[in-house]
Amino acid sequence: MKKIILVASLFSFICLFVIAQTKKPIKKQDDSPAASIERGRVIYQRECLSCHQADGGGVPHMNPPLAGSSDVVGIDKKKIIGIVLNGMTDRIPLDDEYYSNNMASHSYLTNQQIADVLTFARNSFGNKADVVTLAEVAAVRGGKKK
Ligand code: HEC
C-alpha cells in the first residue's frame, strides 16, 4: 500500500513538473528595434514627458527639445546616455540655445530602460537614428550593473 502511494505521488509530481515546464515558457525579451521603441515610449511618458513634452518640443528657454536635437540623433551616443545617467545642470548651449531648468539624474532606471527610452527619442518626434543598445549604456555606466 505504502509503495503504491509513493509511486502515485511521485508520478503526479512528475506530471505537475512537466505541465509547469510546458505551460510557462520563459518569456524572452524582444530585441527588435520596434519593441525597444514601444518600451521606451512608456518610459518616456512616465519619466521625461513632463519636461520634454509629448511632442519632444521641450519648453522654450527652460527644457530643450529632443525633436531635431543634434545630440539626440548624434553618432556619439555616450553624451545622451551620460545625460540620462547623471542629469545635466551645465549652462552650456544645446544647438545654440540655453536652458534654465535642471535635469536630475535618472540612474535609477535600468540599463535596458535607458537604452529603450533613448532608442524611442532617437526614433520619434521626426528623429531618425539607430538604436541605443544595452551594451552601450552598460559601458557608460561603467561596470556597475543595473
Ligand atoms: C525636470 C525636467 C526634466 C526631466 C524630467 C527630464 N529632462 Fe532631459 N533635460 C532637461 C533640461 C532642463 C535639460 C538641459 C539642461 C541644461 O541645459 O543644463 C535636459 C537635457 C536633456 C538632453 C540633452 C539634449 C541635447 O540636445 O543635448 C537629453 C537627451 C535629455 N534631456 C533626455 C531626457 C530623457 C530621456 C528623460 C527621461 C528619462 C529626461 N530627459 C527627463 C529637463 C528634464
Side-chain angles (χ1 to χ4, degrees):
M1 190 59 188
K2 262 194 188 158
K3 229 181 188 174
I4 294 172
I5 292 171
L6 197 73
V7 170
S9 51
L10 201 67
F11 180 72
S12 52
F13 265 123
I14 291 167
C15 284
L16 281 173
F17 182 76
V18 169
I19 290 165
Q21 291 302 301
T22 48
K23 274 215 166 155
K24 258 199 264 154
I26 297 155
K27 218 173 157 202
K28 212 183 156 288
Q29 171 160 285
D30 186 342
D31 286 332
S32 71
S36 177
I37 290 169
E38 279 320 302
R39 288 191 302 267
R41 185 189 310 281
V42 178
I43 298 160
Y44 182 83
Q45 285 166 353
R46 197 178 66 222
E47 306 283 343
C48 327
L49 181 146
S50 58
C51 292
H52 293 290
Q53 304 296 299
D55 64 354
V59 178
H61 310 296
M62 258 190 87
N63 304 316
L66 303 185
S69 155
S70 54
D71 285 334
V72 171
V73 296
I75 312 165
D76 179 15
K77 304 171 207 170
K78 285 192 220 74
K79 181 173 180 182
I80 54 172
I81 295 168
I83 290 172
V84 174
L85 275 172
N86 304 316
M88 183 175 178
T89 56
D90 316 325
R91 293 292 168 266
I92 52 165
L94 302 171
D95 290 322
D96 300 324
E97 187 61 71
Y98 289 87
Y99 297 93
S100 60
N101 205 0
N102 290 331
M103 177 170 155
S105 159
H106 287 69
S107 60
Y108 55 86
L109 295 174
T110 64
N111 291 345
Q112 185 66 57
Q113 286 173 321
I114 293 172
D116 290 341
V117 78
L118 287 175
T119 297
F120 166 78
R122 284 165 69 83
N123 290 282
S124 305
F125 327 124
N127 293 344
K128 191 93 201 82
D130 66 343
V131 299
V132 173
T133 67
L134 185 61
E136 285 168 331
V137 180
V140 176
R141 200 191 288 261
K144 278 170 270 149
K145 209 162 181 276
K146 172 109 190 187

